[in-house]
Amino acid sequence: MNEGLLQEESTADPMQTPSESASCCSNIKHELSSSTPIFSLSKPSGDVIDVEKSFAPPRKFHLTIILRAVFLAFSIFSMGYKLVVVWPVDYWRFVLYLTHWTFAASIAYQATALYVT
């Protein structure tokens, strides 16, 4: 049979530091103790949690701006093409479709997102 399945796996992760392998109960005791402030960023081992790295990893704003600009340009081109081809032929049918209104709203959203970025 497959001997790899029968072997026991080690419970200790060699990549974990001692502070990361603290038990759940010791973390709860530390957080609920009266000596620890309510919103403390310290761990029982004495390490401090880096809030910026844990909630907001560094972003590449140049890539974000380029991608948003490309999507906005494609959307504007698509709407312009639709207006040039369909608008003169059948104005009322073009205006009645909610898809076109939604597309115009999404272009406004993309422009606002690009401006905010």
Side-chain angles (χ1 to χ4, degrees):
M1 288 190 75
N2 191 351
E3 295 177 10
L5 294 175
L6 300 176
Q7 294 177 354
E8 291 184 17
E9 293 184 27
S10 173
T11 58
D13 187 2
M15 299 303 289
Q16 283 186 335
T17 61
S19 63
E20 292 176 346
S21 63
S23 71
C24 178
C25 294
S26 66
N27 284 337
I28 291 174
K29 273 196 240 176
H30 175 71
E31 291 175 3
L32 297 178
S33 69
S34 60
S35 64
T36 306
I38 291 179
F39 294 109
S40 174
L41 297 176
S42 65
K43 295 181 183 179
S45 63
D47 296 339
V48 178
I49 298 171
D50 188 0
V51 177
E52 185 178 343
K53 285 184 181 177
S54 62
F55 288 109
R59 291 180 45 189
K60 298 176 181 170
F61 286 108
H62 296 33
L63 181 62
T64 303
I65 290 172
I66 290 170
L67 285 175
R68 286 186 178 179
V70 166
F71 281 119
L72 179 62
F74 180 73
S75 297
I76 290 172
F77 173 76
S78 297
M79 182 62 112
Y81 177 77
K82 194 79 162 165
L83 287 173
V84 168
V85 171
V86 176
W87 186 282
V89 176
D90 199 1
Y91 171 76
W92 289 108
R93 184 176 274 179
F94 182 84
V95 174
L96 289 176
Y97 282 116
L98 290 178
T99 306
H100 298 129
W101 288 96
T102 306
F103 194 53
S106 72
I107 289 175
Y109 170 76
Q110 289 176 3
T112 305
L114 182 63
Y115 176 72
V116 170
T117 302

